[in-house]
Amino acid sequence: MIIILIGYMASGKSTIGKKLAEKLKCDLVDLDDYIEEKEQLTVTEIFKNKGEIYFRKQETHYLKELLASESQIILSLGGGTPCFGNNMELILNEEHATSIYLRASLPTLVKKLIKKKAKRPLIAHLETEEELTEFIGKHLFERSAFYNQAEVVISTDNKSKKDIVNEITTKLF
Ligand code: S3P
């Protein structure tokens, strides 16, 4: 089984993925890390040198490769992965995969992303909290239509990592 974590940037996909992988004793694959390893470039370098369209093409390519995996893995996607091409359809049609949307509110995301925007090419240029709030608010609204198609939706605001992991395992098993 592949457990797929989806959600906006900084929604906790990688951190929750790590804890969940420890609990379920399986491997965690982070799609961004996987792309960086395969392409031998960081996500920021790919955006800068090759452009977003190239990144999205490769993202779909490696998503398909991982969805075909026979092993038990937790797969943490990039924030945009479900929202491009037919990626969400691929995810939902994969019989041995279950998708989980980690839903965080706009203020929570803004608070986290103010500190963590440097490595994220889509928001690195935004300077003030107001700019970030405006951009993320619109972006999240557009993307929610994709995220909400996930089989399981977990609200993460004001919950500990442990509680979120427990909620996921209770809903899955
Ligand atoms: C992106 C999110 C990033 C990374 C890339 C694009 C997005 O992943 O894939 O910068 O479109 O939201 P994280 O969600 O892990 O930051």
Side-chain angles (χ1 to χ4, degrees):
M1 185 192 195
I2 305 179
I3 298 174
I4 303 179
L5 299 179
I6 72 174
Y8 200 73
M9 292 178 260
S11 58
K13 302 177 298 284
S14 305
T15 349
I16 297 300
K18 239 177 252 163
K19 300 255 170 231
L20 193 61
E22 274 165 29
K23 183 166 178 175
L24 300 178
K25 297 189 174 41
C26 59
D27 288 332
L28 167 73
V29 181
D30 181 293
L31 182 60
D32 282 338
D33 292 347
Y34 190 81
I35 296 171
E36 291 188 342
E37 200 185 306
K38 294 277 180 175
E39 299 280 313
Q40 287 292 297
L41 288 171
T42 64
V43 169
T44 302
E45 285 166 343
I46 301 175
F47 268 73
K48 193 163 161 257
N49 305 342
K50 305 197 167 190
E52 183 175 354
I53 294 175
Y54 176 84
F55 174 80
R56 297 302 173 193
K57 212 173 120 234
Q58 296 314 90
E59 185 177 42
T60 299
H61 171 78
Y62 294 120
L63 171 69
K64 283 183 185 161
E65 197 169 287
L66 289 165
L67 286 177
S69 154
E70 298 281 324
S71 31
Q72 307 271 341
I73 54 168
I74 312 290
L75 175 58
S76 156
L77 300 184
T81 318
C83 317
F84 286 85
N86 63 341
N87 294 351
M88 197 61 205
E89 208 180 312
L90 292 173
I91 292 166
L92 293 171
N93 287 342
E94 189 51 64
E95 269 178 24
H96 70 300
T98 306
S99 49
I100 299 173
Y101 170 28
L102 299 179
R103 187 174 63 200
S105 69
L106 177 61
T108 300
L109 292 171
V110 171
K111 217 167 94 195
K112 284 191 179 175
L113 283 167
I114 280 179
K115 291 177 251 160
K116 295 179 171 182
K117 65 187 177 75
K119 279 190 186 164
R120 293 176 159 106
L122 291 177
I123 54 166
H125 63 288
L126 301 168
E127 309 247 322
T128 63
E129 187 172 335
E130 288 70 35
E131 280 179 316
L132 268 175
T133 305
E134 199 191 331
F135 178 90
I136 298 170
K138 283 186 193 152
H139 210 200
L140 187 61
F141 177 75
E142 290 160 11
R143 288 183 166 190
S144 295
F146 296 93
Y147 296 156
N148 281 318
Q149 293 175 42
E151 285 140 291
V152 177
V153 179
I154 310 253
S155 292
T156 59
D157 275 13
N158 305 315
K159 288 181 188 161
S160 69
K161 293 182 187 98
K162 198 172 164 204
D163 286 346
I164 297 168
V165 168
N166 286 341
E167 204 175 319
I168 293 174
T169 50
T170 310
K171 291 212 170 147
L172 286 185
F173 306 108

PDB file of all heavy atoms in Angstrom, residues 122-157:
ATOM      1  N   LEU A 122       8.107  29.458  -5.595  1.00  0.00           N
ATOM      2  CA  LEU A 122       6.853  30.139  -5.930  1.00  0.00           C
ATOM      3  C   LEU A 122       6.551  31.308  -5.003  1.00  0.00           C
ATOM      4  O   LEU A 122       5.781  32.205  -5.361  1.00  0.00           O
ATOM      5  CB  LEU A 122       5.674  29.146  -5.894  1.00  0.00           C
ATOM      6  CG  LEU A 122       5.660  28.078  -6.984  1.00  0.00           C
ATOM      7  CD1 LEU A 122       4.486  27.144  -6.776  1.00  0.00           C
ATOM      8  CD2 LEU A 122       5.579  28.712  -8.364  1.00  0.00           C
ATOM      9  N   ILE A 123       7.129  31.301  -3.810  1.00  0.00           N
ATOM     10  CA  ILE A 123       6.801  32.363  -2.843  1.00  0.00           C
ATOM     11  C   ILE A 123       8.033  33.110  -2.322  1.00  0.00           C
ATOM     12  O   ILE A 123       7.899  34.048  -1.535  1.00  0.00           O
ATOM     13  CB  ILE A 123       6.006  31.805  -1.635  1.00  0.00           C
ATOM     14  CG1 ILE A 123       6.752  30.629  -0.989  1.00  0.00           C
ATOM     15  CG2 ILE A 123       4.601  31.387  -2.027  1.00  0.00           C
ATOM     16  CD1 ILE A 123       6.207  30.251   0.377  1.00  0.00           C
ATOM     17  N   ALA A 124       9.221  32.697  -2.771  1.00  0.00           N
ATOM     18  CA  ALA A 124      10.466  33.269  -2.230  1.00  0.00           C
ATOM     19  C   ALA A 124      10.535  34.787  -2.414  1.00  0.00           C
ATOM     20  O   ALA A 124      11.162  35.492  -1.619  1.00  0.00           O
ATOM     21  CB  ALA A 124      11.668  32.598  -2.885  1.00  0.00           C
ATOM     22  N   HIS A 125       9.875  35.296  -3.460  1.00  0.00           N
ATOM     23  CA  HIS A 125       9.957  36.735  -3.757  1.00  0.00           C
ATOM     24  C   HIS A 125       8.993  37.576  -2.922  1.00  0.00           C
ATOM     25  O   HIS A 125       9.061  38.788  -2.935  1.00  0.00           O
ATOM     26  CB  HIS A 125       9.655  36.959  -5.245  1.00  0.00           C
ATOM     27  CG  HIS A 125       8.254  36.548  -5.625  1.00  0.00           C
ATOM     28  ND1 HIS A 125       7.874  35.223  -5.703  1.00  0.00           N
ATOM     29  CD2 HIS A 125       7.157  37.283  -5.908  1.00  0.00           C
ATOM     30  CE1 HIS A 125       6.590  35.167  -6.038  1.00  0.00           C
ATOM     31  NE2 HIS A 125       6.132  36.399  -6.164  1.00  0.00           N
ATOM     32  N   LEU A 126       8.078  36.934  -2.204  1.00  0.00           N
ATOM     33  CA  LEU A 126       7.081  37.702  -1.449  1.00  0.00           C
ATOM     34  C   LEU A 126       7.690  38.171  -0.130  1.00  0.00           C
ATOM     35  O   LEU A 126       8.272  37.388   0.599  1.00  0.00           O
ATOM     36  CB  LEU A 126       5.826  36.849  -1.201  1.00  0.00           C
ATOM     37  CG  LEU A 126       5.144  36.350  -2.477  1.00  0.00           C
ATOM     38  CD1 LEU A 126       4.101  35.297  -2.168  1.00  0.00           C
ATOM     39  CD2 LEU A 126       4.520  37.508  -3.260  1.00  0.00           C
ATOM     40  N   GLU A 127       7.563  39.476   0.131  1.00  0.00           N
ATOM     41  CA  GLU A 127       8.315  40.041   1.253  1.00  0.00           C
ATOM     42  C   GLU A 127       7.526  40.145   2.548  1.00  0.00           C
ATOM     43  O   GLU A 127       7.980  39.702   3.580  1.00  0.00           O
ATOM     44  CB  GLU A 127       8.813  41.445   0.873  1.00  0.00           C
ATOM     45  CG  GLU A 127       9.553  41.476  -0.462  1.00  0.00           C
ATOM     46  CD  GLU A 127      11.013  41.788  -0.294  1.00  0.00           C
ATOM     47  OE1 GLU A 127      11.313  42.627   0.562  1.00  0.00           O
ATOM     48  OE2 GLU A 127      11.837  41.206  -1.025  1.00  0.00           O
ATOM     49  N   THR A 128       6.343  40.738   2.456  1.00  0.00           N
ATOM     50  CA  THR A 128       5.627  41.031   3.707  1.00  0.00           C
ATOM     51  C   THR A 128       4.582  39.956   4.014  1.00  0.00           C
ATOM     52  O   THR A 128       4.190  39.172   3.147  1.00  0.00           O
ATOM     53  CB  THR A 128       4.889  42.383   3.595  1.00  0.00           C
ATOM     54  OG1 THR A 128       3.909  42.251   2.562  1.00  0.00           O
ATOM     55  CG2 THR A 128       5.826  43.511   3.255  1.00  0.00           C
ATOM     56  N   GLU A 129       4.120  39.976   5.266  1.00  0.00           N
ATOM     57  CA  GLU A 129       3.081  39.044   5.699  1.00  0.00           C
ATOM     58  C   GLU A 129       1.797  39.271   4.879  1.00  0.00           C
ATOM     59  O   GLU A 129       1.112  38.323   4.518  1.00  0.00           O
ATOM     60  CB  GLU A 129       2.809  39.261   7.191  1.00  0.00           C
ATOM     61  CG  GLU A 129       1.879  38.226   7.760  1.00  0.00           C
ATOM     62  CD  GLU A 129       1.735  38.307   9.274  1.00  0.00           C
ATOM     63  OE1 GLU A 129       2.641  38.811   9.952  1.00  0.00           O
ATOM     64  OE2 GLU A 129       0.677  37.852   9.750  1.00  0.00           O
ATOM     65  N   GLU A 130       1.547  40.541   4.541  1.00  0.00           N
ATOM     66  CA  GLU A 130       0.338  40.867   3.756  1.00  0.00           C
ATOM     67  C   GLU A 130       0.426  40.249   2.364  1.00  0.00           C
ATOM     68  O   GLU A 130      -0.524  39.659   1.870  1.00  0.00           O
ATOM     69  CB  GLU A 130       0.165  42.399   3.605  1.00  0.00           C
ATOM     70  CG  GLU A 130      -0.263  43.138   4.858  1.00  0.00           C
ATOM     71  CD  GLU A 130       0.824  43.194   5.932  1.00  0.00           C
ATOM     72  OE1 GLU A 130       2.016  43.292   5.582  1.00  0.00           O
ATOM     73  OE2 GLU A 130       0.471  43.111   7.121  1.00  0.00           O
ATOM     74  N   GLU A 131       1.608  40.390   1.739  1.00  0.00           N
ATOM     75  CA  GLU A 131       1.801  39.828   0.390  1.00  0.00           C
ATOM     76  C   GLU A 131       1.630  38.312   0.410  1.00  0.00           C
ATOM     77  O   GLU A 131       0.997  37.729  -0.461  1.00  0.00           O
ATOM     78  CB  GLU A 131       3.210  40.165  -0.126  1.00  0.00           C
ATOM     79  CG  GLU A 131       3.355  41.552  -0.685  1.00  0.00           C
ATOM     80  CD  GLU A 131       4.783  41.816  -1.164  1.00  0.00           C
ATOM     81  OE1 GLU A 131       5.733  41.443  -0.431  1.00  0.00           O
ATOM     82  OE2 GLU A 131       4.967  42.374  -2.240  1.00  0.00           O
ATOM     83  N   LEU A 132       2.233  37.692   1.410  1.00  0.00           N
ATOM     84  CA  LEU A 132       2.134  36.236   1.536  1.00  0.00           C
ATOM     85  C   LEU A 132       0.681  35.810   1.736  1.00  0.00           C
ATOM     86  O   LEU A 132       0.210  34.861   1.116  1.00  0.00           O
ATOM     87  CB  LEU A 132       2.954  35.747   2.725  1.00  0.00           C
ATOM     88  CG  LEU A 132       4.396  35.319   2.482  1.00  0.00           C
ATOM     89  CD1 LEU A 132       5.069  34.989   3.796  1.00  0.00           C
ATOM     90  CD2 LEU A 132       4.475  34.111   1.562  1.00  0.00           C
ATOM     91  N   THR A 133      -0.021  36.538   2.609  1.00  0.00           N
ATOM     92  CA  THR A 133      -1.422  36.188   2.909  1.00  0.00           C
ATOM     93  C   THR A 133      -2.270  36.293   1.653  1.00  0.00           C
ATOM     94  O   THR A 133      -3.098  35.420   1.374  1.00  0.00           O
ATOM     95  CB  THR A 133      -1.981  37.115   4.013  1.00  0.00           C
ATOM     96  OG1 THR A 133      -1.113  37.042   5.135  1.00  0.00           O
ATOM     97  CG2 THR A 133      -3.378  36.707   4.434  1.00  0.00           C
ATOM     98  N   GLU A 134      -2.051  37.339   0.864  1.00  0.00           N
ATOM     99  CA  GLU A 134      -2.860  37.527  -0.340  1.00  0.00           C
ATOM    100  C   GLU A 134      -2.577  36.413  -1.349  1.00  0.00           C
ATOM    101  O   GLU A 134      -3.487  35.793  -1.890  1.00  0.00           O
ATOM    102  CB  GLU A 134      -2.567  38.900  -0.944  1.00  0.00           C
ATOM    103  CG  GLU A 134      -3.666  39.325  -1.891  1.00  0.00           C
ATOM    104  CD  GLU A 134      -3.293  40.547  -2.718  1.00  0.00           C
ATOM    105  OE1 GLU A 134      -2.487  41.375  -2.232  1.00  0.00           O
ATOM    106  OE2 GLU A 134      -3.807  40.643  -3.859  1.00  0.00           O
ATOM    107  N   PHE A 135      -1.289  36.139  -1.562  1.00  0.00           N
ATOM    108  CA  PHE A 135      -0.906  35.112  -2.544  1.00  0.00           C
ATOM    109  C   PHE A 135      -1.393  33.727  -2.107  1.00  0.00           C
ATOM    110  O   PHE A 135      -2.044  33.014  -2.870  1.00  0.00           O
ATOM    111  CB  PHE A 135       0.623  35.109  -2.719  1.00  0.00           C
ATOM    112  CG  PHE A 135       1.093  34.051  -3.686  1.00  0.00           C
ATOM    113  CD1 PHE A 135       1.218  34.331  -5.044  1.00  0.00           C
ATOM    114  CD2 PHE A 135       1.396  32.761  -3.249  1.00  0.00           C
ATOM    115  CE1 PHE A 135       1.623  33.350  -5.938  1.00  0.00           C
ATOM    116  CE2 PHE A 135       1.807  31.769  -4.144  1.00  0.00           C
ATOM    117  CZ  PHE A 135       1.922  32.072  -5.490  1.00  0.00           C
ATOM    118  N   ILE A 136      -1.089  33.377  -0.872  1.00  0.00           N
ATOM    119  CA  ILE A 136      -1.426  32.023  -0.399  1.00  0.00           C
ATOM    120  C   ILE A 136      -2.950  31.833  -0.342  1.00  0.00           C
ATOM    121  O   ILE A 136      -3.462  30.773  -0.673  1.00  0.00           O
ATOM    122  CB  ILE A 136      -0.760  31.718   0.962  1.00  0.00           C
ATOM    123  CG1 ILE A 136       0.761  31.765   0.827  1.00  0.00           C
ATOM    124  CG2 ILE A 136      -1.185  30.347   1.496  1.00  0.00           C
ATOM    125  CD1 ILE A 136       1.522  31.709   2.135  1.00  0.00           C
ATOM    126  N   GLY A 137      -3.653  32.906   0.052  1.00  0.00           N
ATOM    127  CA  GLY A 137      -5.115  32.833   0.124  1.00  0.00           C
ATOM    128  C   GLY A 137      -5.729  32.447  -1.222  1.00  0.00           C
ATOM    129  O   GLY A 137      -6.541  31.529  -1.312  1.00  0.00           O
ATOM    130  N   LYS A 138      -5.281  33.122  -2.285  1.00  0.00           N
ATOM    131  CA  LYS A 138      -5.817  32.845  -3.628  1.00  0.00           C
ATOM    132  C   LYS A 138      -5.385  31.468  -4.106  1.00  0.00           C
ATOM    133  O   LYS A 138      -6.164  30.693  -4.656  1.00  0.00           O
ATOM    134  CB  LYS A 138      -5.284  33.895  -4.627  1.00  0.00           C
ATOM    135  CG  LYS A 138      -5.965  35.217  -4.536  1.00  0.00           C
ATOM    136  CD  LYS A 138      -5.466  36.127  -5.676  1.00  0.00           C
ATOM    137  CE  LYS A 138      -5.898  37.557  -5.431  1.00  0.00           C
ATOM    138  NZ  LYS A 138      -4.976  38.519  -6.025  1.00  0.00           N
ATOM    139  N   HIS A 139      -4.107  31.180  -3.893  1.00  0.00           N
ATOM    140  CA  HIS A 139      -3.502  29.922  -4.357  1.00  0.00           C
ATOM    141  C   HIS A 139      -4.172  28.713  -3.697  1.00  0.00           C
ATOM    142  O   HIS A 139      -4.509  27.730  -4.328  1.00  0.00           O
ATOM    143  CB  HIS A 139      -2.017  29.976  -3.951  1.00  0.00           C
ATOM    144  CG  HIS A 139      -1.114  29.233  -4.859  1.00  0.00           C
ATOM    145  ND1 HIS A 139       0.140  28.835  -4.464  1.00  0.00           N
ATOM    146  CD2 HIS A 139      -1.257  28.797  -6.123  1.00  0.00           C
ATOM    147  CE1 HIS A 139       0.723  28.208  -5.464  1.00  0.00           C
ATOM    148  NE2 HIS A 139      -0.093  28.163  -6.473  1.00  0.00           N
ATOM    149  N   LEU A 140      -4.391  28.860  -2.388  1.00  0.00           N
ATOM    150  CA  LEU A 140      -4.996  27.771  -1.617  1.00  0.00           C
ATOM    151  C   LEU A 140      -6.439  27.549  -2.069  1.00  0.00           C
ATOM    152  O   LEU A 140      -6.903  26.407  -2.183  1.00  0.00           O
ATOM    153  CB  LEU A 140      -4.948  28.132  -0.129  1.00  0.00           C
ATOM    154  CG  LEU A 140      -5.366  27.077   0.881  1.00  0.00           C
ATOM    155  CD1 LEU A 140      -4.463  25.857   0.774  1.00  0.00           C
ATOM    156  CD2 LEU A 140      -5.279  27.647   2.293  1.00  0.00           C
ATOM    157  N   PHE A 141      -7.126  28.656  -2.367  1.00  0.00           N
ATOM    158  CA  PHE A 141      -8.516  28.560  -2.831  1.00  0.00           C
ATOM    159  C   PHE A 141      -8.563  27.762  -4.146  1.00  0.00           C
ATOM    160  O   PHE A 141      -9.373  26.854  -4.300  1.00  0.00           O
ATOM    161  CB  PHE A 141      -9.087  29.969  -3.019  1.00  0.00           C
ATOM    162  CG  PHE A 141     -10.485  29.964  -3.559  1.00  0.00           C
ATOM    163  CD1 PHE A 141     -11.553  29.618  -2.740  1.00  0.00           C
ATOM    164  CD2 PHE A 141     -10.743  30.296  -4.886  1.00  0.00           C
ATOM    165  CE1 PHE A 141     -12.851  29.585  -3.246  1.00  0.00           C
ATOM    166  CE2 PHE A 141     -12.033  30.264  -5.400  1.00  0.00           C
ATOM    167  CZ  PHE A 141     -13.091  29.913  -4.580  1.00  0.00           C
ATOM    168  N   GLU A 142      -7.648  28.075  -5.084  1.00  0.00           N
ATOM    169  CA  GLU A 142      -7.621  27.360  -6.373  1.00  0.00           C
ATOM    170  C   GLU A 142      -7.257  25.892  -6.174  1.00  0.00           C
ATOM    171  O   GLU A 142      -7.825  24.993  -6.786  1.00  0.00           O
ATOM    172  CB  GLU A 142      -6.545  27.966  -7.298  1.00  0.00           C
ATOM    173  CG  GLU A 142      -6.854  29.335  -7.832  1.00  0.00           C
ATOM    174  CD  GLU A 142      -5.597  30.064  -8.319  1.00  0.00           C
ATOM    175  OE1 GLU A 142      -4.507  29.430  -8.436  1.00  0.00           O
ATOM    176  OE2 GLU A 142      -5.699  31.268  -8.568  1.00  0.00           O
ATOM    177  N   ARG A 143      -6.286  25.665  -5.317  1.00  0.00           N
ATOM    178  CA  ARG A 143      -5.778  24.300  -5.147  1.00  0.00           C
ATOM    179  C   ARG A 143      -6.687  23.399  -4.311  1.00  0.00           C
ATOM    180  O   ARG A 143      -6.621  22.180  -4.440  1.00  0.00           O
ATOM    181  CB  ARG A 143      -4.375  24.354  -4.529  1.00  0.00           C
ATOM    182  CG  ARG A 143      -3.354  24.866  -5.517  1.00  0.00           C
ATOM    183  CD  ARG A 143      -1.986  24.850  -4.926  1.00  0.00           C
ATOM    184  NE  ARG A 143      -0.969  25.011  -5.954  1.00  0.00           N
ATOM    185  CZ  ARG A 143       0.307  24.854  -5.746  1.00  0.00           C
ATOM    186  NH1 ARG A 143       0.741  24.533  -4.550  1.00  0.00           N
ATOM    187  NH2 ARG A 143       1.172  24.995  -6.733  1.00  0.00           N
ATOM    188  N   SER A 144      -7.506  24.021  -3.462  1.00  0.00           N
ATOM    189  CA  SER A 144      -8.356  23.212  -2.579  1.00  0.00           C
ATOM    190  C   SER A 144      -9.270  22.274  -3.357  1.00  0.00           C
ATOM    191  O   SER A 144      -9.609  21.188  -2.872  1.00  0.00           O
ATOM    192  CB  SER A 144      -9.214  24.121  -1.697  1.00  0.00           C
ATOM    193  OG  SER A 144      -8.364  24.825  -0.850  1.00  0.00           O
ATOM    194  N   ALA A 145      -9.675  22.681  -4.555  1.00  0.00           N
ATOM    195  CA  ALA A 145     -10.550  21.829  -5.375  1.00  0.00           C
ATOM    196  C   ALA A 145      -9.866  20.490  -5.656  1.00  0.00           C
ATOM    197  O   ALA A 145     -10.533  19.457  -5.735  1.00  0.00           O
ATOM    198  CB  ALA A 145     -10.867  22.538  -6.681  1.00  0.00           C
ATOM    199  N   PHE A 146      -8.552  20.513  -5.793  1.00  0.00           N
ATOM    200  CA  PHE A 146      -7.803  19.262  -6.015  1.00  0.00           C
ATOM    201  C   PHE A 146      -7.581  18.534  -4.694  1.00  0.00           C
ATOM    202  O   PHE A 146      -7.843  17.341  -4.565  1.00  0.00           O
ATOM    203  CB  PHE A 146      -6.454  19.554  -6.694  1.00  0.00           C
ATOM    204  CG  PHE A 146      -6.594  20.125  -8.068  1.00  0.00           C
ATOM    205  CD1 PHE A 146      -6.602  21.496  -8.281  1.00  0.00           C
ATOM    206  CD2 PHE A 146      -6.756  19.282  -9.162  1.00  0.00           C
ATOM    207  CE1 PHE A 146      -6.756  22.029  -9.552  1.00  0.00           C
ATOM    208  CE2 PHE A 146      -6.912  19.807 -10.441  1.00  0.00           C
ATOM    209  CZ  PHE A 146      -6.905  21.181 -10.635  1.00  0.00           C
ATOM    210  N   TYR A 147      -7.093  19.286  -3.711  1.00  0.00           N
ATOM    211  CA  TYR A 147      -6.761  18.657  -2.418  1.00  0.00           C
ATOM    212  C   TYR A 147      -7.981  17.953  -1.805  1.00  0.00           C
ATOM    213  O   TYR A 147      -7.858  16.869  -1.234  1.00  0.00           O
ATOM    214  CB  TYR A 147      -6.278  19.711  -1.420  1.00  0.00           C
ATOM    215  CG  TYR A 147      -4.989  20.438  -1.756  1.00  0.00           C
ATOM    216  CD1 TYR A 147      -4.728  21.703  -1.226  1.00  0.00           C
ATOM    217  CD2 TYR A 147      -4.014  19.861  -2.566  1.00  0.00           C
ATOM    218  CE1 TYR A 147      -3.546  22.385  -1.496  1.00  0.00           C
ATOM    219  CE2 TYR A 147      -2.826  20.544  -2.850  1.00  0.00           C
ATOM    220  CZ  TYR A 147      -2.609  21.804  -2.310  1.00  0.00           C
ATOM    221  OH  TYR A 147      -1.439  22.467  -2.566  1.00  0.00           O
ATOM    222  N   ASN A 148      -9.153  18.601  -1.941  1.00  0.00           N
ATOM    223  CA  ASN A 148     -10.349  18.043  -1.297  1.00  0.00           C
ATOM    224  C   ASN A 148     -10.866  16.756  -1.936  1.00  0.00           C
ATOM    225  O   ASN A 148     -11.777  16.133  -1.424  1.00  0.00           O
ATOM    226  CB  ASN A 148     -11.470  19.096  -1.240  1.00  0.00           C
ATOM    227  CG  ASN A 148     -11.246  20.085  -0.106  1.00  0.00           C
ATOM    228  OD1 ASN A 148     -10.869  19.688   1.002  1.00  0.00           O
ATOM    229  ND2 ASN A 148     -11.440  21.357  -0.377  1.00  0.00           N
ATOM    230  N   GLN A 149     -10.268  16.378  -3.058  1.00  0.00           N
ATOM    231  CA  GLN A 149     -10.650  15.095  -3.674  1.00  0.00           C
ATOM    232  C   GLN A 149      -9.982  13.910  -2.973  1.00  0.00           C
ATOM    233  O   GLN A 149     -10.279  12.759  -3.260  1.00  0.00           O
ATOM    234  CB  GLN A 149     -10.238  15.063  -5.146  1.00  0.00           C
ATOM    235  CG  GLN A 149     -11.001  16.047  -6.024  1.00  0.00           C
ATOM    236  CD  GLN A 149     -10.456  16.036  -7.450  1.00  0.00           C
ATOM    237  OE1 GLN A 149     -10.171  14.986  -8.003  1.00  0.00           O
ATOM    238  NE2 GLN A 149     -10.291  17.211  -8.022  1.00  0.00           N
ATOM    239  N   ALA A 150      -9.043  14.202  -2.074  1.00  0.00           N
ATOM    240  CA  ALA A 150      -8.341  13.117  -1.372  1.00  0.00           C
ATOM    241  C   ALA A 150      -9.330  12.227  -0.635  1.00  0.00           C
ATOM    242  O   ALA A 150     -10.389  12.695  -0.201  1.00  0.00           O
ATOM    243  CB  ALA A 150      -7.342  13.716  -0.378  1.00  0.00           C
ATOM    244  N   GLU A 151      -8.972  10.959  -0.501  1.00  0.00           N
ATOM    245  CA  GLU A 151      -9.890  10.009   0.152  1.00  0.00           C
ATOM    246  C   GLU A 151     -10.098  10.322   1.639  1.00  0.00           C
ATOM    247  O   GLU A 151     -11.161  10.084   2.198  1.00  0.00           O
ATOM    248  CB  GLU A 151      -9.372   8.593  -0.023  1.00  0.00           C
ATOM    249  CG  GLU A 151      -9.616   8.092  -1.441  1.00  0.00           C
ATOM    250  CD  GLU A 151      -8.467   7.301  -1.996  1.00  0.00           C
ATOM    251  OE1 GLU A 151      -7.397   7.901  -2.250  1.00  0.00           O
ATOM    252  OE2 GLU A 151      -8.628   6.093  -2.167  1.00  0.00           O
ATOM    253  N   VAL A 152      -9.040  10.828   2.276  1.00  0.00           N
ATOM    254  CA  VAL A 152      -9.138  11.180   3.696  1.00  0.00           C
ATOM    255  C   VAL A 152      -8.689  12.637   3.853  1.00  0.00           C
ATOM    256  O   VAL A 152      -7.691  13.042   3.268  1.00  0.00           O
ATOM    257  CB  VAL A 152      -8.220  10.253   4.550  1.00  0.00           C
ATOM    258  CG1 VAL A 152      -8.255  10.655   6.012  1.00  0.00           C
ATOM    259  CG2 VAL A 152      -8.604   8.792   4.374  1.00  0.00           C
ATOM    260  N   VAL A 153      -9.461  13.409   4.614  1.00  0.00           N
ATOM    261  CA  VAL A 153      -9.070  14.805   4.868  1.00  0.00           C
ATOM    262  C   VAL A 153      -8.868  14.964   6.375  1.00  0.00           C
ATOM    263  O   VAL A 153      -9.735  14.598   7.174  1.00  0.00           O
ATOM    264  CB  VAL A 153     -10.154  15.795   4.371  1.00  0.00           C
ATOM    265  CG1 VAL A 153      -9.751  17.233   4.668  1.00  0.00           C
ATOM    266  CG2 VAL A 153     -10.416  15.624   2.874  1.00  0.00           C
ATOM    267  N   ILE A 154      -7.704  15.478   6.751  1.00  0.00           N
ATOM    268  CA  ILE A 154      -7.409  15.661   8.172  1.00  0.00           C
ATOM    269  C   ILE A 154      -7.109  17.139   8.429  1.00  0.00           C
ATOM    270  O   ILE A 154      -6.197  17.698   7.812  1.00  0.00           O
ATOM    271  CB  ILE A 154      -6.157  14.827   8.595  1.00  0.00           C
ATOM    272  CG1 ILE A 154      -6.274  13.372   8.143  1.00  0.00           C
ATOM    273  CG2 ILE A 154      -5.820  15.009  10.069  1.00  0.00           C
ATOM    274  CD1 ILE A 154      -6.557  12.364   9.196  1.00  0.00           C
ATOM    275  N   SER A 155      -7.852  17.760   9.326  1.00  0.00           N
ATOM    276  CA  SER A 155      -7.534  19.146   9.702  1.00  0.00           C
ATOM    277  C   SER A 155      -6.403  19.113  10.708  1.00  0.00           C
ATOM    278  O   SER A 155      -6.462  18.349  11.676  1.00  0.00           O
ATOM    279  CB  SER A 155      -8.749  19.809  10.350  1.00  0.00           C
ATOM    280  OG  SER A 155      -9.731  19.971   9.385  1.00  0.00           O
ATOM    281  N   THR A 156      -5.396  19.920  10.479  1.00  0.00           N
ATOM    282  CA  THR A 156      -4.197  19.801  11.309  1.00  0.00           C
ATOM    283  C   THR A 156      -4.004  20.958  12.293  1.00  0.00           C
ATOM    284  O   THR A 156      -3.163  20.871  13.177  1.00  0.00           O
ATOM    285  CB  THR A 156      -2.945  19.705  10.421  1.00  0.00           C
ATOM    286  OG1 THR A 156      -2.896  20.887   9.614  1.00  0.00           O
ATOM    287  CG2 THR A 156      -2.972  18.483   9.541  1.00  0.00           C
ATOM    288  N   ASP A 157      -4.783  22.028  12.144  1.00  0.00           N
ATOM    289  CA  ASP A 157      -4.598  23.196  13.016  1.00  0.00           C
ATOM    290  C   ASP A 157      -4.700  22.817  14.493  1.00  0.00           C
ATOM    291  O   ASP A 157      -5.622  22.101  14.891  1.00  0.00           O
ATOM    292  CB  ASP A 157      -5.670  24.255  12.718  1.00  0.00           C
ATOM    293  CG  ASP A 157      -5.260  25.153  11.570  1.00  0.00           C
ATOM    294  OD1 ASP A 157      -4.299  24.823  10.863  1.00  0.00           O
ATOM    295  OD2 ASP A 157      -5.917  26.192  11.377  1.00  0.00           O
TER     296      ASP A 157
END
